[in-house]
Amino acid sequence: MKPQLIDSFNRVHTNLRISVTDQCNFRCIYCMPEDMDFMENEKIMTFDEILHLTRIFVDLGVDKVRITGGEPLVRRGVPELIKQLWQVEGLKDIGLTTNGIGLVKQAKALYDAGLRRINVSLDTLNEEKFEQMTRRKMLAKVLAGLKEAQHCGFNPIKINAVTMRDFTEDEIIDLAEFARENSYELRFIEFMPLDGDDIWGRNILLPGKEILNKIHEIYPLEPVQMNGNRKHAPAKEYRFVDGKGKVGVIASVTEPFCDDCNRVRLTADGHLRACLFSISETDLLTPLRAGVPDEAIAELIIENVKNKGPGHKINAADFVKPARNMSMIGG
Ligand code: SAM
Ligand code: SF4
């Protein structure tokens, strides 16, 4: 299939993140407020609608999908959805991002559904800090979920960590050691202004470079060459010189990678966002429910992507925070 999702900067979009719910059993302070208002159930895409829209995206050249949320595993039936997604002709890769809580119960079903790549978010190994970060006391359950995923055979298992200055800064080496010991790939994500409580600020943002330097001082690192499709990956990767795995940083704020972006996002209520920081989005679900033909929905998608801006403006004076916080977009 000839890729058709090309924007005015010649970026080709082949990677779709699908949020299956905006609900979550955590309330991470960098993502959503404690008293979050969730979308009404009727507004959320059914699995059939997700599959229908995915087929249209795949016809337009998308070949990689990541299931996310909110917390995707709070929605019942995600393994079944994954099984059905694999039936979409042309789709080559499916991944899942989760907070890990649901893995003890669901890892096997997910694996049996053909899922192999998962990212589990874990910012700290310290129980108290975990509770402050997620506003939930569930570290043990996440760790058990990671073990279960490994037991089932998931590979790679990536750990996503958002690290904050003067808070979890002192956890960097502990997380690196934890990942090295357990063969997880660790990736640090810079805190982006997509939180629900407006706590974001450069004073708490820990730049990716600083994180890497801290690790490199103790466990020397060397860059991994990113060729082919991997050059679109948001994480810059480094390998431990002693051969014990890899670590990556997603430095969206201090080293934006918008020039290489190949991602678009579908929110749980079926709105297309060409960028995490888009101010405008295209409602695909309403026309889909109204019976608008696939060709016309494809046109809406093409038009949205064509109008994608050159990059986020976090570092610009005229930056405007999107109305949706991260859990409502799908990270
Ligand atoms: N609930 C799942 C989870 O936590 O992995 C999936 C959704 S979550 C929105 C996806 C990723 O976005 C997580 O790795 C999370 O750490 C990250 N994230 C959330 N808010 C963020 C923010 N303001 N800045 C950077 N990363 C953020
Ligand atoms: Fe939930 Fe993931 Fe957001 Fe944390 S980062 S509140 S786990 S959606």
Side-chain angles (χ1 to χ4, degrees):
M1 177 52 60
K2 193 166 161 274
Q4 293 178 63
L5 298 182
I6 304 172
D7 65 17
S8 52
F9 304 92
N10 251 342
R11 291 171 298 193
V12 181
H13 296 76
T14 54
N15 190 324
L16 171 68
R17 305 213 167 177
I18 304 173
S19 172
V20 295
T21 178
D22 64 325
Q23 300 205 13
C24 189
N25 35 18
F26 284 7
R27 293 290 184 278
C28 301
I29 55 173
Y30 48 74
C31 180
M32 67 159 106
E34 177 64 82
D35 57 348
M36 184 74 195
D37 281 332
F38 295 111
M39 298 171 190
E40 293 155 38
N41 275 346
E42 321 72 81
K43 293 204 170 139
I44 305 285
M45 293 183 288
T46 64
F47 285 167
D48 280 347
E49 287 163 344
I50 291 175
L51 286 160
H52 192 153
L53 288 174
T54 303
R55 276 186 220 105
I56 299 177
F57 276 99
V58 171
D59 278 345
L60 293 170
V62 162
D63 60 8
K64 194 170 176 179
V65 153
R66 174 163 293 274
I67 303 296
T68 183
E71 171 46 40
L73 298 185
V74 300
R75 180 155 179 188
R76 219 173 290 155
V78 170
E80 187 51 38
L81 172 68
I82 287 170
K83 230 184 255 174
Q84 292 182 30
L85 279 170
W86 278 125
Q87 307 297 316
V88 176
E89 208 175 314
L91 192 58
K92 295 188 190 136
D93 190 281
I94 304 175
L96 173 91
T97 302
T98 170
N99 64 22
I101 283 292
L103 288 175
V104 169
K105 280 200 179 140
Q106 297 191 61
K108 183 163 183 327
L110 289 164
Y111 192 87
D112 290 346
L115 186 74
R116 294 293 178 269
R117 300 153 56 74
I118 50 167
N119 291 9
V120 179
S121 300
L122 177 64
D123 311 309
T124 167
L125 294 164
N126 174 303
E127 266 180 53
E128 237 169 78
K129 284 188 183 168
F130 184 93
E131 194 179 341
Q132 286 166 4
M133 196 69 127
T134 64
R135 300 174 171 120
R136 298 293 182 267
K137 216 180 167 120
M138 296 211 182
L139 173 61
K141 211 163 172 191
V142 175
L143 296 178
L146 271 166
K147 272 220 167 80
E148 180 59 21
Q150 201 158 37
H151 174 73
C152 290
F154 280 96
N155 189 14
I157 298 177
K158 294 184 181 170
I159 292 188
N160 288 355
V162 176
T163 298
M164 291 183 186
R165 190 174 300 287
D166 296 331
F167 180 31
T168 43
E169 193 177 347
D170 58 354
E171 293 269 313
I172 293 170
I173 299 301
D174 289 350
L175 281 173
E177 289 174 346
F178 176 71
R180 282 163 57 84
E181 280 157 21
N182 293 286
S183 304
Y184 302 135
E185 278 182 35
L186 177 60
R187 294 138 42 108
F188 290 94
I189 310 176
E190 284 183 355
F191 180 22
M192 293 177 275
L194 288 169
D195 55 302
D197 286 327
D198 279 331
I199 60 166
W200 186 84
R202 285 174 201 274
N203 52 334
I204 43 175
L205 160 76
L206 202 63
K209 258 208 188 101
E210 225 179 293
I211 295 174
L212 284 173
N213 286 342
K214 273 187 204 286
I215 298 176
H216 182 68
E217 272 173 24
I218 299 185
Y219 299 107
L221 294 165
E222 59 188 13
V224 174
Q225 284 311 319
M226 307 288 273
N227 300 319
N229 237 348
R230 296 183 65 213
K231 88 177 170 62
H232 299 293
K236 268 199 197 142
E237 288 184 359
Y238 298 79
R239 71 172 69 82
F240 290 109
V241 172
D242 64 8
K244 280 200 144 186
K246 283 193 288 190
V247 59
V249 289
I250 302 181
S252 331
V253 181
T254 63
E255 298 168 72
F257 36 82
C258 304
D259 289 351
D260 279 325
C261 183
N262 69 347
R263 285 171 296 281
V264 292
R265 291 180 156 81
L266 191 56
T267 61
D269 55 350
H271 288 216
L272 171 62
R273 299 176 63 85
C275 171
L276 263 179
F277 291 92
S278 294
I279 295 303
S280 63
E281 46 189 39
T282 303
D283 178 3
L284 302 179
L285 187 57
T286 305
L288 185 82
R289 288 185 175 172
V292 168
D294 289 2
E295 298 71 32
I297 291 181
E299 279 309 318
L300 289 174
I301 298 173
I302 290 170
E303 192 58 26
N304 176 295
V305 173
K306 216 182 263 168
N307 292 327
K308 177 165 172 165
H312 70 61
K313 290 184 165 184
I314 302 174
N315 301 311
D318 59 346
F319 173 67
V320 179
K321 194 178 169 185
R324 291 184 190 250
N325 64 293
M326 186 64 121
S327 65
M328 291 171 75
I329 298 172

